[in-house]
Amino acid sequence: MIKVLLSQDIHPEGRKLLEGKFDVRIAPGAAEADLIEAAKDVEAIILRTNAKITRKVIENAPKLKIISRTGAGVDNVDVDAATEKGILVCNLPAVNNVSVAEHTVALIMHLAKQLSTMDRAVREGKWNMRNSNIAVELEGKILGVVGMGNIGALVAKKCHDGLGMKILAYDPYTEERFKDYDYEFTDDLEELFRRSDFVTLHCPDTPETRGMVKRDLIYSMKPTAYLINTARGTLVDEKSLIMALKERRIAGAGLDVFTEEPPKEDNELLKLDNVVLSPHSAAMTKEATTRMSTEAAQAVVDYFEGRQPKYIFNGNELRKKGIRLYFEMEKLL
Ligand code: NAI
């Protein structure tokens, strides 16, 4: 029976698709050594965000044919190493767009209405907080969207159409398809940070974007502005963000992602009252979790039943290397 490794258990609906067809096992841990041992004789890996499939893991897994991600990002896979070995890397580009976009809007609204502070005030008997006027309206405020891909575009739409916010977007790779929208684009990231009332990050972690939100950008924001990050913690210089928050150089931040996850106990972000935090849970709604597990499992089923998985992240690179993507069922099962 074909062996499938799960980096972590998946939703029962996803497991149902594999049961009876595959020998399914769960990695004992997310450390590289655990994964090397667990992956050494498997043909497929279903990979959640908890683990990294490194070159070493790939080189020690001679039977591996497909790595199927339960989400959009593939920054926890050494894609080059996989491609070199002719291994398909499948992802799910749109599977959790709605959940992440809604979570982003929730963070924006939470900050605008100062819900943490208000909640605490009521519990502590500080009813007078209602007269502090620290909440703001969102209508007419500028939302700076960095990265207008699937999620960024959806956040822009929800905030523009639903909340009446103005959209100022930055994305060096996609402007054309927003021609008919009432959005302003800039090719100057500094301008976006300087003018926005809320800045929200939606670009992938790449060598180009890693650390792109540097001290200067953070400090160029308005003192009344908020930074929202539901993309990747690595995009932001977290130390500078903490400084700016402590010095009240910006009003606050809403963070679903961190440089180190989970953040260490002594991470100062955990002590600040002008931030709202969530544990990389933007995508983890009931609906999206079910979709993620079933669609990632379906990619593995499709592959071994001779059908092309819906999304092959390294398809072009594999084709360039002359590796064929279609297989006949009887050759594999
Ligand atoms: P996408 O690939 O559809 O969009 C990314 C956009 O970023 C593209 O339009 C691209 O042109 C743009 N981009 C690339 N380099 C850029 C740069 N230097 N500056 C500005 N824009 C740049 O990806 P999608 O699905 O919208 O996801 C965005 C990110 O959200 C993912 O890469 C992932 O890191 C994160 N994410 C977080 C989740 C969570 O649970 N918090 C769940 C899913 C995704």
Side-chain angles (χ1 to χ4, degrees), residues 72-73 75 93 96-97 100 146-152 170-174 177 202-206 208-209 212 230-232 256-257 280-284:
D75 45 315
N96 47 30
N97 290 353
V100 181
V146 183
M148 284 288 275
N150 288 312
I151 297 170
Y170 171 84
D171 188 326
Y173 307 105
T174 173
R177 69 191 176 100
H202 299 289
C203 43
D205 172 87
T206 64
E208 184 198 7
T209 60
M212 76 193 275
T230 58
R232 286 290 181 264
D256 185 51
V257 289
H280 202 145
S281 60
M284 307 297 282

Side-chain angles (χ1 to χ4, degrees), residues 110-111 116 241 245 251-255 268-277:
H110 187 109
L111 290 164
S116 298
L241 174 63
L245 287 163
L255 307 172
E268 291 189 82
L269 282 172
L270 310 188
K271 297 183 194 91
L272 297 174
D273 61 7
N274 51 349
V275 295
V276 51
L277 311 172

